[in-house]
Amino acid sequence: MSAEELLKDRDHVLVALDGPVVEHLPELPVADRLRVMVAEDRLPRKVARTDDPFVVLAFAASIGPATEQAVYAQWRRIEHEVVAAARLTPGVGDAFAKLAAGGARITVVGSLDVRVMRALLVMHGLDAHVGRVAGRNDADRAALPPAPDLITSAIHAAAIPVESCVFVGTTKDDLAAARAAGVDTIHHERGTATPAPPAVVVSPAWFAGLAEVRSAPARRPADPAGKTAGPKS
């Protein structure tokens, strides 16, 4: 079964933000910009040197809840800058319209704050086709890819069996998270940018970027007591 046939066959299509929806998420010095909000006193070495915004946020939380909320709000503002500068993947709008017209529910999954992701979809008119957004709601790093939690929660929220779902992703972490959640995956390759004068970038359309299809690990049947069957000893 081809990738397009698999998409037509599934009732719930989960799509990663990074790659299939936006070509590249611009990288901004998030940790640096958050660090200045808590840098009145001497910072611990780990906080002073990190590029990880979660580390800075955890330090802000140690100061107090008001500081943590202020730093997280600034993080969200920075992410709004990121999505404002991001370019949509060519053909994603037409692809979403085609999938929605075929009856599929679409969920966009990403590591950004959910409010930022919704703003991006509204800005580009994609919200008309996307039913749900699964992203970061708080400072919990453990829920983000490659952990399967975001995808699992999105499947439960849609109340559609995992067998009727498929995930489209580009990065290794996103694809690994989907397979860990028991979802079949389609690898969407980033377009190979071909410069053309005057500095125009040509990229393949969305469906043309669909590549490898991989099935999730086989789901083990439950035993009569309701427990998942394991290997025989």
Side-chain angles (χ1 to χ4, degrees):
M1 179 181 290
S2 70
E4 286 196 55
E5 289 172 335
L6 182 59
L7 284 170
K8 293 177 183 177
D9 185 59
R10 300 302 169 91
D11 297 322
H12 188 189
V13 180
L14 300 105
V15 184
L17 177 73
D18 186 10
V21 179
V22 295
E23 287 187 306
H24 293 279
L25 289 171
E27 294 186 6
L28 296 180
V30 178
D32 286 346
R33 291 176 59 178
L34 299 183
R35 189 164 29 239
V36 299
M37 300 183 68
V38 293
E40 292 184 6
D41 298 318
R42 184 173 181 179
L43 297 175
R45 178 177 297 182
K46 180 179 180 180
V47 179
R49 296 184 176 183
T50 188
D51 292 325
D52 186 347
F54 281 101
V55 173
V56 182
L57 188 63
F59 178 75
S62 71
I63 298 174
T67 301
E68 180 186 20
Q69 292 171 13
V71 170
Y72 190 79
Q74 174 68 353
W75 187 358
R76 191 164 58 244
R77 283 191 287 269
I78 295 170
E79 288 185 335
H80 277 292
E81 295 178 30
V82 169
V83 299
R87 294 188 306 178
L88 287 189
T89 297
V92 65
D94 291 339
F96 279 12
K98 183 177 180 180
L99 292 171
R105 297 188 187 182
I106 301 174
T107 296
V108 172
V109 182
S111 298
L112 301 183
D113 183 271
V114 290
R115 286 160 286 193
V116 174
M117 292 171 61
R118 288 194 186 101
L120 170 74
L121 298 177
V122 170
M123 181 169 57
H124 293 286
L126 297 178
D127 59 308
H129 311 301
V130 177
R132 295 182 180 275
V133 173
R136 193 183 70 245
N137 280 300
D138 51 34
D140 185 9
R141 182 208 304 268
L144 303 179
D149 300 45
L150 281 181
I151 295 170
T152 299
S153 63
I155 292 171
H156 289 166
I160 294 176
V162 67
E163 294 82 3
S164 297
C165 301
V166 66
F167 179 88
V168 182
T170 296
T171 69
K172 291 181 179 179
D173 279 355
D174 287 337
L175 292 167
R179 287 193 288 269
V183 184
D184 294 339
T185 61
I186 297 173
H187 180 200
H188 186 276
E189 296 180 325
R190 294 189 195 275
T192 301
T194 304
V200 174
V201 176
V202 180
S203 299
W206 202 85
F207 284 110
L210 300 180
E212 178 187 8
V213 177
R214 287 189 60 180
S215 296
R219 303 168 186 90
R220 295 178 296 176
D223 64 20
K227 298 180 180 179
T228 302
K232 295 181 180 180
S233 56

